[in-house]
Amino acid sequence: MSTLAALLPAVPALGWAVHARWLYSPLTTARRDPLTGLWTRDAFTRRARRLLRDARAVVVLADVDHFKQINDTHGHAAGDVLLAAVAARLAHGTTPGGVAGRLGGDEFAAVVIDRDGTMADRLHTLARVLARPVENAPDVHTTVSLGWVRAGDHPGEDLSALLRRADEAMYAAKHSGRSGPRRARLGRLLGSVTGRRPGRRGAA
């Protein structure tokens, strides 16, 4: 059998492999937020649900403080740079093994596995890192409010319920006048759906 004849059966399979790769690349891009590079809400949700099978999983909600003021003072381009910096720092702070996503506007979420029980300390460190000025733009910075909840404290609750708990904690942190992350309280949920409270700032 000639070399050409031997290769012919492989041509359709090779063609489909190339086609599948060509299709996969745009799909992966579509699952990434174009500004920050984090997973979009739907892509984040799928990955976060898998991590929540581990009782050590921690759900974190992050919201940029005074973001409208940043836009009004420095312009929307500076606001975009700030969001990108927050996203990069959040993604770095939730590795290895975690997942971070942009839920919309200036709101982000992450799920991390707390393997050594140090999540509270790690999040205090993360809050300080998130508040650092943007590189080469020292005037562009603000604090970031963090709320978090441990999945094991609320067995049977899904990602949506845990995000609502983290949302309540995040708002408590935001309005407490003190910097630092806030852990969700035990007991029943008090708040409304994440990101839909009265007086909520709009998207960037």
Side-chain angles (χ1 to χ4, degrees), residues 5-22:
L7 288 174
L8 282 176
V11 171
L14 178 62
W16 277 111
V18 172
H19 182 64
R21 185 177 180 86
W22 179 83

Side-chain angles (χ1 to χ4, degrees), residues 110-201:
V111 176
V112 192
I113 304 301
D114 185 15
R115 292 181 172 84
D116 54 6
T118 61
M119 185 53 60
D121 291 337
R122 289 172 59 187
L123 289 177
H124 274 89
T125 299
L126 177 61
R128 292 193 295 270
V129 171
L130 293 175
R132 291 174 182 168
V134 174
E135 187 176 355
N136 300 323
D139 293 334
V140 181
H141 66 95
T142 185
T143 54
V144 176
S145 295
L146 298 174
W148 65 283
V149 58
R150 193 180 302 278
D153 290 342
H154 307 279
E157 291 196 0
D158 62 8
L159 177 62
S160 179
L162 293 170
L163 280 172
R164 289 198 297 273
R165 290 186 181 278
D167 181 59
E168 289 179 354
M170 183 269 293
Y171 266 88
K174 186 180 291 290
H175 296 300
S176 69
R178 295 178 298 172
S179 60
R182 178 71 65 93
R183 185 172 181 174
R185 62 188 294 277
L186 297 175
R188 66 185 183 87
L189 281 165
L190 301 177
S192 57
V193 177
T194 299
R196 294 293 180 270
R197 298 185 178 209
R200 183 75 176 168
R201 295 190 305 276

